[in-house]
Every structure is written in structure tokens, then in C-alpha cells.
Amino acid sequence: SEAPPPERPPDQRHTGKQKHSLWAEDEMEAANTAEDLQLLELIGQGRYGTVFRGSLNERCVAVKLFSSANRQSFTNERSIYGLPLLQLHDNIARFLAADERTNAEGRAEFLILMEYYPHGCLSSYLSHHTVDWSTCCRMTHGVTRGLAFLHTELHRAGESKPGVAHRDVSSRNVLLRSDLSCVLADFGLSMALTGSRPPRPGDPDTMAISEVGTVRYMAPEVLGGALDLRDCASALKQVDVYALGLLYWESFRRCSQLFTGEAVPEHQLAFQAELGNHPSFQEMQILVNRNKFRPRFPESWRSSSPALSSLMETMEDCWDPDAEARLTAQCAEERLCDLTLHSHRIGPPPVGPASSQDLGVV
Ligand code: ADP
Ligand code: MG
Ligand code: MG
């Protein structure tokens, strides 16, 4: 795993004095946040935040704690969660409050309080569980709905949400509710694309625009330094869809019904088989950009049903080397919706010798 091992959870009540109350829902009076919040258990460690299961007035919450070095990431994530209409969607993580306080050593630290997702991230769920076909369709469809919504500019009841690029789509940034429905989370690198001032190629932070995200999930044009910023909004959405294709591959590789008569392979992150746990930018550049390598499909998927062929085609259309040829998130959403409906009618696609025999297929 790329995440460091969990540390001992801090079981003491945080008594740090808060400097400002930055933002909160009505029910979560920010004035009380720092006083009444207890951090109970370390549940996640990303590049920017340390995430705890906590309790606030008896309510179970997740707390993403940023050190002062990661202030930028905090500020950005808070401003994305604060965009109008964003919280209306079922496949976007629930934000509760943001806060700033001073820790025991006198340093500023920043908190984002959010709903606690008991199954954690998609990647850790897939590493411990296989999923059946309809669950896998539902999970990937949910992530895709969330991304399509995020990308879309929306005007409703006098409020406007700009289109937003996520810029760090991965199976670690998708969280699971107890019913296994999925939400998109971790907006630390996200960027509003429309509205007052969309980013332009001449901007001083063009480098920052083109080189963020998790190396493993970086699109070939990002790795090759050829991100086309003339239409920045489309380019960044295409980068998100590339990573979405990898996320589909990781998910369906753990689908029990796609491996009848053979063992379901262990969970692997994209390119883990080829480059291991800590691929470098340069290794990724050679593999994905220069050699145009993409995750391999299991052998038994090759000669199978139309549903599975269409799924593989959808993945390939997401990770196409030509960014402009990729599906939009909206289009990917329609494809997965069809797949889900199809499986309701005729069940999962038959795969492997066992299921072919059962169905009398030669
Ligand atoms: P970073 O920006 O540092 O990557 P994330 O927001 O992605 O931080 O959180 C890191 C990890 O913590 C996630 O991959 C997930 O495993 C866990 N996590 C984050 N938020 C929650 C939550 N609300 N409920 C449960 N687990 C969470
Ligand atoms: Mg993350
Ligand atoms: Mg992040």
C-alpha cells in the first residue's frame, strides 16, 4: 500500500483554542466545534490530510486534519464544498463544517468535518471484498454520476454551480456508504472551470494546473507534458475521465461473476502489476505515454458476452490516448446506466467455461 501504517489514535479531547470559525452548517454551530469534537480513531492517511473517525455531540463524523503546510489544500477543498448546489447530489461526499484551530504545539491546523463513511475508500473495500455484478455496476455508475455532476455547470433556483474538474480521481478518493453506494470525495486539488475567471494558458500557475494528481492515475498527456490548455475546461475533464477508466478496471476485476470457474484475482491498483506500489513519474511516463500501455483485461473476458465487451470498450474509450476521443463523464454515465439496466433484465454476463456450459453456449 502507498499509505503509511496507522499511528496510535489520539484519544485525548482536543482542547486547542480556535481562532476563526470559517464555515458551518446551521446544525453544526462552528463555535462549539473545536470544544466538542473528539478524535477517536485514525482511519485514513492521504498525501494532504490525516483522517479520523470522530464524534461531535454524540454524532459520528469524519475529520480530515490538515497541517499548516497543507493549508492550500484545505482552503481549496473547503471552497469546493462551499460551491452552490454541490451538496445536493447523492454521489458527492457530505460536507459538515470547516474549522481552523491551534494545536497543542501552538501551530495552526485545519479541519474539514464530513459524514463518516463506514466502509472507507473504494480501494480498501475492493482489497477485502469481491463484489457481484449488479453491485459493481451500481458502484461504478454512482462514481460516474458524481463525476458527471461535478463537471456540469448548473443553474437552479437563482444559484449557480460552475463546472468543476476533480483532478485527483482514484479508487482512494471514492468513499462507500454502508449500502455500498459510492461518493466522490477529496476535492483538495479540484478546480472550478467556469464562472468569474476560468484558468487560462498564460496563467502563472499553468504548471500547477498541468501537473497535479496521483502519478499512478495521471493521463498520458499530463505525463507527456502535452496537456492542451487552449480549452482548459475540456482538457481537465478529459484527464478525470482517463482516471475513471482505470477505476472501472480496478472495480470489475473484483467482480465475482466475471470469474466463474476461476479464482477472482486479488485487488490491484492500476499498473501495480507492472510498476509496483510506488511508481515514479518517469516510469509512468514511459509505460503510459510512450508505450501507450493500459491495464490488461483477464483472458476469460475476451470471448464473452456483448455486455462485457461493451464494458471493456467503455474502459478503452475512457483511457484513449487521444484525450479528445475520450467519453465525457455524461456519456460514460449513460453507458454504465445501460449496463446496469441490461443486467437487471438478463443478469450478469456469462464468463468462463463453467457459466458457458451452464447456459449451453459452445
Ligand atoms: P488526501 O487529500 O490526503 O488524499 P482524503 O480526503 O483522500 O485525503 O482522505 C484520505 C483517506 O481517508 C481516504 O482515502 C479514505 O480512506 C479515508 N477517508 C477520508 N474521508 C473519509 C470519510 N468521510 N469516511 C471514511 N473514511 C474517509
Ligand atoms: Mg485522497
Ligand atoms: Mg487530496
Side-chain angles (χ1 to χ4, degrees), residues 40-65:
L40 300 170
E41 180 196 1
L42 183 89
I43 53 172
Q45 176 78 70
R47 270 178 307 160
Y48 303 94
T50 308
V51 181
F52 297 89
R53 179 174 64 81
S55 120
L56 182 66
N57 307 323
E58 322 269 291
R59 175 181 181 172
C60 190
V61 295
V63 184
K64 184 170 177 180
L65 198 65

mmCIF file with all atom_site columns, all heavy atoms in Angstrom, residues 40-65:
data_model
loop_
_atom_site.group_PDB
_atom_site.id
_atom_site.type_symbol
_atom_site.label_atom_id
_atom_site.label_alt_id
_atom_site.label_comp_id
_atom_site.label_asym_id
_atom_site.label_entity_id
_atom_site.label_seq_id
_atom_site.pdbx_PDB_ins_code
_atom_site.Cartn_x
_atom_site.Cartn_y
_atom_site.Cartn_z
_atom_site.occupancy
_atom_site.B_iso_or_equiv
_atom_site.pdbx_formal_charge
_atom_site.auth_seq_id
_atom_site.auth_comp_id
_atom_site.auth_asym_id
_atom_site.auth_atom_id
_atom_site.pdbx_PDB_model_num
ATOM 1   N N   . LEU A 1 40 ? -11.356 9.887  17.501 1.00 0.00 ? 40 LEU A N   1
ATOM 2   C CA  . LEU A 1 40 ? -11.393 8.576  18.143 1.00 0.00 ? 40 LEU A CA  1
ATOM 3   C C   . LEU A 1 40 ? -10.461 7.548  17.518 1.00 0.00 ? 40 LEU A C   1
ATOM 4   O O   . LEU A 1 40 ? -9.909  6.702  18.202 1.00 0.00 ? 40 LEU A O   1
ATOM 5   C CB  . LEU A 1 40 ? -12.828 8.028  18.107 1.00 0.00 ? 40 LEU A CB  1
ATOM 6   C CG  . LEU A 1 40 ? -13.863 8.911  18.820 1.00 0.00 ? 40 LEU A CG  1
ATOM 7   C CD1 . LEU A 1 40 ? -15.270 8.425  18.540 1.00 0.00 ? 40 LEU A CD1 1
ATOM 8   C CD2 . LEU A 1 40 ? -13.593 8.944  20.325 1.00 0.00 ? 40 LEU A CD2 1
ATOM 9   N N   . GLU A 1 41 ? -10.292 7.613  16.204 1.00 0.00 ? 41 GLU A N   1
ATOM 10  C CA  . GLU A 1 41 ? -9.535  6.542  15.552 1.00 0.00 ? 41 GLU A CA  1
ATOM 11  C C   . GLU A 1 41 ? -8.990  7.053  14.222 1.00 0.00 ? 41 GLU A C   1
ATOM 12  O O   . GLU A 1 41 ? -9.720  7.695  13.466 1.00 0.00 ? 41 GLU A O   1
ATOM 13  C CB  . GLU A 1 41 ? -10.507 5.379  15.301 1.00 0.00 ? 41 GLU A CB  1
ATOM 14  C CG  . GLU A 1 41 ? -9.923  4.170  14.642 1.00 0.00 ? 41 GLU A CG  1
ATOM 15  C CD  . GLU A 1 41 ? -11.010 3.244  14.069 1.00 0.00 ? 41 GLU A CD  1
ATOM 16  O OE1 . GLU A 1 41 ? -12.212 3.554  14.163 1.00 0.00 ? 41 GLU A OE1 1
ATOM 17  O OE2 . GLU A 1 41 ? -10.630 2.214  13.502 1.00 0.00 ? 41 GLU A OE2 1
ATOM 18  N N   . LEU A 1 42 ? -7.734  6.771  13.942 1.00 0.00 ? 42 LEU A N   1
ATOM 19  C CA  . LEU A 1 42 ? -7.176  7.142  12.638 1.00 0.00 ? 42 LEU A CA  1
ATOM 20  C C   . LEU A 1 42 ? -7.742  6.204  11.582 1.00 0.00 ? 42 LEU A C   1
ATOM 21  O O   . LEU A 1 42 ? -7.638  4.988  11.717 1.00 0.00 ? 42 LEU A O   1
ATOM 22  C CB  . LEU A 1 42 ? -5.650  7.014  12.665 1.00 0.00 ? 42 LEU A CB  1
ATOM 23  C CG  . LEU A 1 42 ? -4.955  7.445  11.375 1.00 0.00 ? 42 LEU A CG  1
ATOM 24  C CD1 . LEU A 1 42 ? -4.623  8.922  11.414 1.00 0.00 ? 42 LEU A CD1 1
ATOM 25  C CD2 . LEU A 1 42 ? -3.711  6.643  11.126 1.00 0.00 ? 42 LEU A CD2 1
ATOM 26  N N   . ILE A 1 43 ? -8.366  6.769  10.536 1.00 0.00 ? 43 ILE A N   1
ATOM 27  C CA  . ILE A 1 43 ? -8.956  5.891  9.518  1.00 0.00 ? 43 ILE A CA  1
ATOM 28  C C   . ILE A 1 43 ? -8.363  6.089  8.130  1.00 0.00 ? 43 ILE A C   1
ATOM 29  O O   . ILE A 1 43 ? -8.632  5.320  7.220  1.00 0.00 ? 43 ILE A O   1
ATOM 30  C CB  . ILE A 1 43 ? -10.495 6.044  9.439  1.00 0.00 ? 43 ILE A CB  1
ATOM 31  C CG1 . ILE A 1 43 ? -10.894 7.509  9.260  1.00 0.00 ? 43 ILE A CG1 1
ATOM 32  C CG2 . ILE A 1 43 ? -11.156 5.441  10.677 1.00 0.00 ? 43 ILE A CG2 1
ATOM 33  C CD1 . ILE A 1 43 ? -12.378 7.699  8.993  1.00 0.00 ? 43 ILE A CD1 1
ATOM 34  N N   . GLY A 1 44 ? -7.581  7.110  7.953  1.00 0.00 ? 44 GLY A N   1
ATOM 35  C CA  . GLY A 1 44 ? -7.013  7.292  6.625  1.00 0.00 ? 44 GLY A CA  1
ATOM 36  C C   . GLY A 1 44 ? -5.878  8.279  6.637  1.00 0.00 ? 44 GLY A C   1
ATOM 37  O O   . GLY A 1 44 ? -5.844  9.224  7.415  1.00 0.00 ? 44 GLY A O   1
ATOM 38  N N   . GLN A 1 45 ? -4.926  8.020  5.766  1.00 0.00 ? 45 GLN A N   1
ATOM 39  C CA  . GLN A 1 45 ? -3.795  8.927  5.654  1.00 0.00 ? 45 GLN A CA  1
ATOM 40  C C   . GLN A 1 45 ? -3.560  9.146  4.179  1.00 0.00 ? 45 GLN A C   1
ATOM 41  O O   . GLN A 1 45 ? -3.211  8.237  3.452  1.00 0.00 ? 45 GLN A O   1
ATOM 42  C CB  . GLN A 1 45 ? -2.570  8.264  6.309  1.00 0.00 ? 45 GLN A CB  1
ATOM 43  C CG  . GLN A 1 45 ? -1.293  9.047  6.187  1.00 0.00 ? 45 GLN A CG  1
ATOM 44  C CD  . GLN A 1 45 ? -1.240  10.192 7.179  1.00 0.00 ? 45 GLN A CD  1
ATOM 45  O OE1 . GLN A 1 45 ? -1.105  9.978  8.376  1.00 0.00 ? 45 GLN A OE1 1
ATOM 46  N NE2 . GLN A 1 45 ? -1.366  11.409 6.684  1.00 0.00 ? 45 GLN A NE2 1
ATOM 47  N N   . GLY A 1 46 ? -3.838  10.353 3.707  1.00 0.00 ? 46 GLY A N   1
ATOM 48  C CA  . GLY A 1 46 ? -3.588  10.671 2.308  1.00 0.00 ? 46 GLY A CA  1
ATOM 49  C C   . GLY A 1 46 ? -2.328  11.496 2.213  1.00 0.00 ? 46 GLY A C   1
ATOM 50  O O   . GLY A 1 46 ? -1.555  11.584 3.168  1.00 0.00 ? 46 GLY A O   1
ATOM 51  N N   . ARG A 1 47 ? -2.129  12.121 1.062  1.00 0.00 ? 47 ARG A N   1
ATOM 52  C CA  . ARG A 1 47 ? -0.940  12.945 0.870  1.00 0.00 ? 47 ARG A CA  1
ATOM 53  C C   . ARG A 1 47 ? -1.066  14.271 1.611  1.00 0.00 ? 47 ARG A C   1
ATOM 54  O O   . ARG A 1 47 ? -0.100  14.893 1.982  1.00 0.00 ? 47 ARG A O   1
ATOM 55  C CB  . ARG A 1 47 ? -0.722  13.219 -0.611 1.00 0.00 ? 47 ARG A CB  1
ATOM 56  C CG  . ARG A 1 47 ? 0.133   12.176 -1.280 1.00 0.00 ? 47 ARG A CG  1
ATOM 57  C CD  . ARG A 1 47 ? 0.250   12.492 -2.756 1.00 0.00 ? 47 ARG A CD  1
ATOM 58  N NE  . ARG A 1 47 ? -1.064  12.667 -3.366 1.00 0.00 ? 47 ARG A NE  1
ATOM 59  C CZ  . ARG A 1 47 ? -1.275  13.304 -4.509 1.00 0.00 ? 47 ARG A CZ  1
ATOM 60  N NH1 . ARG A 1 47 ? -0.283  13.864 -5.148 1.00 0.00 ? 47 ARG A NH1 1
ATOM 61  N NH2 . ARG A 1 47 ? -2.492  13.391 -5.009 1.00 0.00 ? 47 ARG A NH2 1
ATOM 62  N N   . TYR A 1 48 ? -2.319  14.726 1.779  1.00 0.00 ? 48 TYR A N   1
ATOM 63  C CA  . TYR A 1 48 ? -2.518  16.072 2.321  1.00 0.00 ? 48 TYR A CA  1
ATOM 64  C C   . TYR A 1 48 ? -3.162  16.081 3.701  1.00 0.00 ? 48 TYR A C   1
ATOM 65  O O   . TYR A 1 48 ? -2.909  16.958 4.498  1.00 0.00 ? 48 TYR A O   1
ATOM 66  C CB  . TYR A 1 48 ? -3.377  16.889 1.349  1.00 0.00 ? 48 TYR A CB  1
ATOM 67  C CG  . TYR A 1 48 ? -2.754  16.958 -0.013 1.00 0.00 ? 48 TYR A CG  1
ATOM 68  C CD1 . TYR A 1 48 ? -3.099  16.059 -1.009 1.00 0.00 ? 48 TYR A CD1 1
ATOM 69  C CD2 . TYR A 1 48 ? -1.762  17.898 -0.282 1.00 0.00 ? 48 TYR A CD2 1
ATOM 70  C CE1 . TYR A 1 48 ? -2.505  16.102 -2.257 1.00 0.00 ? 48 TYR A CE1 1
ATOM 71  C CE2 . TYR A 1 48 ? -1.159  17.955 -1.526 1.00 0.00 ? 48 TYR A CE2 1
ATOM 72  C CZ  . TYR A 1 48 ? -1.532  17.047 -2.511 1.00 0.00 ? 48 TYR A CZ  1
ATOM 73  O OH  . TYR A 1 48 ? -0.932  17.090 -3.734 1.00 0.00 ? 48 TYR A OH  1
ATOM 74  N N   . GLY A 1 49 ? -3.995  15.107 3.958  1.00 0.00 ? 49 GLY A N   1
ATOM 75  C CA  . GLY A 1 49 ? -4.736  15.115 5.203  1.00 0.00 ? 49 GLY A CA  1
ATOM 76  C C   . GLY A 1 49 ? -4.606  13.811 5.960  1.00 0.00 ? 49 GLY A C   1
ATOM 77  O O   . GLY A 1 49 ? -4.268  12.777 5.402  1.00 0.00 ? 49 GLY A O   1
ATOM 78  N N   . THR A 1 50 ? -4.861  13.905 7.267  1.00 0.00 ? 50 THR A N   1
ATOM 79  C CA  . THR A 1 50 ? -4.948  12.725 8.114  1.00 0.00 ? 50 THR A CA  1
ATOM 80  C C   . THR A 1 50 ? -6.401  12.653 8.540  1.00 0.00 ? 50 THR A C   1
ATOM 81  O O   . THR A 1 50 ? -6.949  13.645 9.015  1.00 0.00 ? 50 THR A O   1
ATOM 82  C CB  . THR A 1 50 ? -4.044  12.893 9.340  1.00 0.00 ? 50 THR A CB  1
ATOM 83  O OG1 . THR A 1 50 ? -2.743  13.252 8.877  1.00 0.00 ? 50 THR A OG1 1
ATOM 84  C CG2 . THR A 1 50 ? -3.960  11.622 10.147 1.00 0.00 ? 50 THR A CG2 1
ATOM 85  N N   . VAL A 1 51 ? -7.021  11.496 8.340  1.00 0.00 ? 51 VAL A N   1
ATOM 86  C CA  . VAL A 1 51 ? -8.462  11.425 8.552  1.00 0.00 ? 51 VAL A CA  1
ATOM 87  C C   . VAL A 1 51 ? -8.787  10.548 9.764  1.00 0.00 ? 51 VAL A C   1
ATOM 88  O O   . VAL A 1 51 ? -8.235  9.456  9.915  1.00 0.00 ? 51 VAL A O   1
ATOM 89  C CB  . VAL A 1 51 ? -9.184  10.906 7.287  1.00 0.00 ? 51 VAL A CB  1
ATOM 90  C CG1 . VAL A 1 51 ? -10.692 10.853 7.496  1.00 0.00 ? 51 VAL A CG1 1
ATOM 91  C CG2 . VAL A 1 51 ? -8.840  11.784 6.084  1.00 0.00 ? 51 VAL A CG2 1
ATOM 92  N N   . PHE A 1 52 ? -9.640  11.076 10.632 1.00 0.00 ? 52 PHE A N   1
ATOM 93  C CA  . PHE A 1 52 ? -10.038 10.373 11.849 1.00 0.00 ? 52 PHE A CA  1
ATOM 94  C C   . PHE A 1 52 ? -11.540 10.124 11.854 1.00 0.00 ? 52 PHE A C   1
ATOM 95  O O   . PHE A 1 52 ? -12.311 10.927 11.316 1.00 0.00 ? 52 PHE A O   1
ATOM 96  C CB  . PHE A 1 52 ? -9.710  11.215 13.089 1.00 0.00 ? 52 PHE A CB  1
ATOM 97  C CG  . PHE A 1 52 ? -8.245  11.465 13.269 1.00 0.00 ? 52 PHE A CG  1
ATOM 98  C CD1 . PHE A 1 52 ? -7.635  12.563 12.683 1.00 0.00 ? 52 PHE A CD1 1
ATOM 99  C CD2 . PHE A 1 52 ? -7.473  10.586 14.016 1.00 0.00 ? 52 PHE A CD2 1
ATOM 100 C CE1 . PHE A 1 52 ? -6.273  12.797 12.846 1.00 0.00 ? 52 PHE A CE1 1
ATOM 101 C CE2 . PHE A 1 52 ? -6.114  10.809 14.185 1.00 0.00 ? 52 PHE A CE2 1
ATOM 102 C CZ  . PHE A 1 52 ? -5.509  11.912 13.603 1.00 0.00 ? 52 PHE A CZ  1
ATOM 103 N N   . ARG A 1 53 ? -11.926 9.021  12.477 1.00 0.00 ? 53 ARG A N   1
ATOM 104 C CA  . ARG A 1 53 ? -13.318 8.903  12.871 1.00 0.00 ? 53 ARG A CA  1
ATOM 105 C C   . ARG A 1 53 ? -13.431 9.679  14.161 1.00 0.00 ? 53 ARG A C   1
ATOM 106 O O   . ARG A 1 53 ? -12.569 9.570  15.039 1.00 0.00 ? 53 ARG A O   1
ATOM 107 C CB  . ARG A 1 53 ? -13.683 7.429  13.104 1.00 0.00 ? 53 ARG A CB  1
ATOM 108 C CG  . ARG A 1 53 ? -15.123 7.196  13.538 1.00 0.00 ? 53 ARG A CG  1
ATOM 109 C CD  . ARG A 1 53 ? -15.428 5.704  13.601 1.00 0.00 ? 53 ARG A CD  1
ATOM 110 N NE  . ARG A 1 53 ? -14.621 5.015  14.618 1.00 0.00 ? 53 ARG A NE  1
ATOM 111 C CZ  . ARG A 1 53 ? -14.916 5.003  15.925 1.00 0.00 ? 53 ARG A CZ  1
ATOM 112 N NH1 . ARG A 1 53 ? -15.983 5.609  16.387 1.00 0.00 ? 53 ARG A NH1 1
ATOM 113 N NH2 . ARG A 1 53 ? -14.124 4.367  16.777 1.00 0.00 ? 53 ARG A NH2 1
ATOM 114 N N   . GLY A 1 54 ? -14.453 10.504 14.263 1.00 0.00 ? 54 GLY A N   1
ATOM 115 C CA  . GLY A 1 54 ? -14.579 11.321 15.454 1.00 0.00 ? 54 GLY A CA  1
ATOM 116 C C   . GLY A 1 54 ? -16.012 11.384 15.917 1.00 0.00 ? 54 GLY A C   1
ATOM 117 O O   . GLY A 1 54 ? -16.898 10.770 15.321 1.00 0.00 ? 54 GLY A O   1
ATOM 118 N N   . SER A 1 55 ? -16.219 12.107 16.989 1.00 0.00 ? 55 SER A N   1
ATOM 119 C CA  . SER A 1 55 ? -17.586 12.286 17.437 1.00 0.00 ? 55 SER A CA  1
ATOM 120 C C   . SER A 1 55 ? -17.799 13.745 17.808 1.00 0.00 ? 55 SER A C   1
ATOM 121 O O   . SER A 1 55 ? -16.944 14.395 18.414 1.00 0.00 ? 55 SER A O   1
ATOM 122 C CB  . SER A 1 55 ? -17.883 11.306 18.572 1.00 0.00 ? 55 SER A CB  1
ATOM 123 O OG  . SER A 1 55 ? -18.246 11.975 19.735 1.00 0.00 ? 55 SER A OG  1
ATOM 124 N N   . LEU A 1 56 ? -18.931 14.264 17.380 1.00 0.00 ? 56 LEU A N   1
ATOM 125 C CA  . LEU A 1 56 ? -19.300 15.640 17.660 1.00 0.00 ? 56 LEU A CA  1
ATOM 126 C C   . LEU A 1 56 ? -20.714 15.629 18.221 1.00 0.00 ? 56 LEU A C   1
ATOM 127 O O   . LEU A 1 56 ? -21.654 15.275 17.510 1.00 0.00 ? 56 LEU A O   1
ATOM 128 C CB  . LEU A 1 56 ? -19.238 16.484 16.387 1.00 0.00 ? 56 LEU A CB  1
ATOM 129 C CG  . LEU A 1 56 ? -19.553 17.971 16.553 1.00 0.00 ? 56 LEU A CG  1
ATOM 130 C CD1 . LEU A 1 56 ? -18.496 18.669 17.394 1.00 0.00 ? 56 LEU A CD1 1
ATOM 131 C CD2 . LEU A 1 56 ? -19.677 18.637 15.196 1.00 0.00 ? 56 LEU A CD2 1
ATOM 132 N N   . ASN A 1 57 ? -20.836 15.941 19.473 1.00 0.00 ? 57 ASN A N   1
ATOM 133 C CA  . ASN A 1 57 ? -22.145 15.888 20.149 1.00 0.00 ? 57 ASN A CA  1
ATOM 134 C C   . ASN A 1 57 ? -22.838 14.544 19.888 1.00 0.00 ? 57 ASN A C   1
ATOM 135 O O   . ASN A 1 57 ? -23.944 14.500 19.388 1.00 0.00 ? 57 ASN A O   1
ATOM 136 C CB  . ASN A 1 57 ? -23.054 17.029 19.680 1.00 0.00 ? 57 ASN A CB  1
ATOM 137 C CG  . ASN A 1 57 ? -22.370 18.374 19.817 1.00 0.00 ? 57 ASN A CG  1
ATOM 138 O OD1 . ASN A 1 57 ? -21.631 18.602 20.772 1.00 0.00 ? 57 ASN A OD1 1
ATOM 139 N ND2 . ASN A 1 57 ? -22.598 19.253 18.866 1.00 0.00 ? 57 ASN A ND2 1
ATOM 140 N N   . GLU A 1 58 ? -22.120 13.466 20.173 1.00 0.00 ? 58 GLU A N   1
ATOM 141 C CA  . GLU A 1 58 ? -22.646 12.106 20.031 1.00 0.00 ? 58 GLU A CA  1
ATOM 142 C C   . GLU A 1 58 ? -22.810 11.663 18.577 1.00 0.00 ? 58 GLU A C   1
ATOM 143 O O   . GLU A 1 58 ? -23.175 10.527 18.313 1.00 0.00 ? 58 GLU A O   1
ATOM 144 C CB  . GLU A 1 58 ? -24.029 11.922 20.719 1.00 0.00 ? 58 GLU A CB  1
ATOM 145 C CG  . GLU A 1 58 ? -24.211 12.650 22.017 1.00 0.00 ? 58 GLU A CG  1
ATOM 146 C CD  . GLU A 1 58 ? -23.811 11.821 23.235 1.00 0.00 ? 58 GLU A CD  1
ATOM 147 O OE1 . GLU A 1 58 ? -24.547 10.843 23.509 1.00 0.00 ? 58 GLU A OE1 1
ATOM 148 O OE2 . GLU A 1 58 ? -22.790 12.142 23.859 1.00 0.00 ? 58 GLU A OE2 1
ATOM 149 N N   . ARG A 1 59 ? -22.592 12.569 17.651 1.00 0.00 ? 59 ARG A N   1
ATOM 150 C CA  . ARG A 1 59 ? -22.757 12.189 16.256 1.00 0.00 ? 59 ARG A CA  1
ATOM 151 C C   . ARG A 1 59 ? -21.417 11.725 15.698 1.00 0.00 ? 59 ARG A C   1
ATOM 152 O O   . ARG A 1 59 ? -20.390 12.355 15.901 1.00 0.00 ? 59 ARG A O   1
ATOM 153 C CB  . ARG A 1 59 ? -23.266 13.397 15.468 1.00 0.00 ? 59 ARG A CB  1
ATOM 154 C CG  . ARG A 1 59 ? -23.350 13.149 13.976 1.00 0.00 ? 59 ARG A CG  1
ATOM 155 C CD  . ARG A 1 59 ? -23.838 14.391 13.271 1.00 0.00 ? 59 ARG A CD  1
ATOM 156 N NE  . ARG A 1 59 ? -23.950 14.144 11.840 1.00 0.00 ? 59 ARG A NE  1
ATOM 157 C CZ  . ARG A 1 59 ? -24.489 14.995 10.991 1.00 0.00 ? 59 ARG A CZ  1
ATOM 158 N NH1 . ARG A 1 59 ? -24.996 16.144 11.436 1.00 0.00 ? 59 ARG A NH1 1
ATOM 159 N NH2 . ARG A 1 59 ? -24.546 14.725 9.699  1.00 0.00 ? 59 ARG A NH2 1
ATOM 160 N N   . CYS A 1 60 ? -21.455 10.595 14.960 1.00 0.00 ? 60 CYS A N   1
ATOM 161 C CA  . CYS A 1 60 ? -20.232 10.083 14.357 1.00 0.00 ? 60 CYS A CA  1
ATOM 162 C C   . CYS A 1 60 ? -19.887 10.914 13.116 1.00 0.00 ? 60 CYS A C   1
ATOM 163 O O   . CYS A 1 60 ? -20.724 11.120 12.248 1.00 0.00 ? 60 CYS A O   1
ATOM 164 C CB  . CYS A 1 60 ? -20.460 8.619  13.988 1.00 0.00 ? 60 CYS A CB  1
ATOM 165 S SG  . CYS A 1 60 ? -18.966 7.798  13.520 1.00 0.00 ? 60 CYS A SG  1
ATOM 166 N N   . VAL A 1 61 ? -18.673 11.399 13.062 1.00 0.00 ? 61 VAL A N   1
ATOM 167 C CA  . VAL A 1 61 ? -18.243 12.209 11.915 1.00 0.00 ? 61 VAL A CA  1
ATOM 168 C C   . VAL A 1 61 ? -16.852 11.769 11.465 1.00 0.00 ? 61 VAL A C   1
ATOM 169 O O   . VAL A 1 61 ? -16.160 11.042 12.186 1.00 0.00 ? 61 VAL A O   1
ATOM 170 C CB  . VAL A 1 61 ? -18.186 13.725 12.261 1.00 0.00 ? 61 VAL A CB  1
ATOM 171 C CG1 . VAL A 1 61 ? -19.555 14.291 12.577 1.00 0.00 ? 61 VAL A CG1 1
ATOM 172 C CG2 . VAL A 1 61 ? -17.209 13.993 13.417 1.00 0.00 ? 61 VAL A CG2 1
ATOM 173 N N   . ALA A 1 62 ? -16.458 12.186 10.280 1.00 0.00 ? 62 ALA A N   1
ATOM 174 C CA  . ALA A 1 62 ? -15.069 12.017 9.854  1.00 0.00 ? 62 ALA A CA  1
ATOM 175 C C   . ALA A 1 62 ? -14.413 13.389 9.905  1.00 0.00 ? 62 ALA A C   1
ATOM 176 O O   . ALA A 1 62 ? -15.039 14.393 9.584  1.00 0.00 ? 62 ALA A O   1
ATOM 177 C CB  . ALA A 1 62 ? -14.999 11.444 8.449  1.00 0.00 ? 62 ALA A CB  1
ATOM 178 N N   . VAL A 1 63 ? -13.173 13.416 10.349 1.00 0.00 ? 63 VAL A N   1
ATOM 179 C CA  . VAL A 1 63 ? -12.446 14.675 10.477 1.00 0.00 ? 63 VAL A CA  1
ATOM 180 C C   . VAL A 1 63 ? -11.166 14.580 9.659  1.00 0.00 ? 63 VAL A C   1
ATOM 181 O O   . VAL A 1 63 ? -10.326 13.717 9.907  1.00 0.00 ? 63 VAL A O   1
ATOM 182 C CB  . VAL A 1 63 ? -12.070 14.944 11.953 1.00 0.00 ? 63 VAL A CB  1
ATOM 183 C CG1 . VAL A 1 63 ? -11.399 16.310 12.089 1.00 0.00 ? 63 VAL A CG1 1
ATOM 184 C CG2 . VAL A 1 63 ? -13.288 14.838 12.852 1.00 0.00 ? 63 VAL A CG2 1
ATOM 185 N N   . LYS A 1 64 ? -11.064 15.432 8.661  1.00 0.00 ? 64 LYS A N   1
ATOM 186 C CA  . LYS A 1 64 ? -9.829  15.480 7.874  1.00 0.00 ? 64 LYS A CA  1
ATOM 187 C C   . LYS A 1 64 ? -8.987  16.621 8.415  1.00 0.00 ? 64 LYS A C   1
ATOM 188 O O   . LYS A 1 64 ? -9.396  17.778 8.405  1.00 0.00 ? 64 LYS A O   1
ATOM 189 C CB  . LYS A 1 64 ? -10.162 15.693 6.400  1.00 0.00 ? 64 LYS A CB  1
ATOM 190 C CG  . LYS A 1 64 ? -8.963  15.667 5.469  1.00 0.00 ? 64 LYS A CG  1
ATOM 191 C CD  . LYS A 1 64 ? -9.402  15.640 4.009  1.00 0.00 ? 64 LYS A CD  1
ATOM 192 C CE  . LYS A 1 64 ? -8.216  15.693 3.065  1.00 0.00 ? 64 LYS A CE  1
ATOM 193 N NZ  . LYS A 1 64 ? -8.643  15.678 1.642  1.00 0.00 ? 64 LYS A NZ  1
ATOM 194 N N   . LEU A 1 65 ? -7.830  16.266 8.929  1.00 0.00 ? 65 LEU A N   1
ATOM 195 C CA  . LEU A 1 65 ? -6.959  17.227 9.602  1.00 0.00 ? 65 LEU A CA  1
ATOM 196 C C   . LEU A 1 65 ? -5.795  17.573 8.678  1.00 0.00 ? 65 LEU A C   1
ATOM 197 O O   . LEU A 1 65 ? -5.105  16.690 8.172  1.00 0.00 ? 65 LEU A O   1
ATOM 198 C CB  . LEU A 1 65 ? -6.446  16.552 10.872 1.00 0.00 ? 65 LEU A CB  1
ATOM 199 C CG  . LEU A 1 65 ? -5.861  17.388 11.983 1.00 0.00 ? 65 LEU A CG  1
ATOM 200 C CD1 . LEU A 1 65 ? -6.918  18.294 12.590 1.00 0.00 ? 65 LEU A CD1 1
ATOM 201 C CD2 . LEU A 1 65 ? -5.299  16.458 13.063 1.00 0.00 ? 65 LEU A CD2 1
#
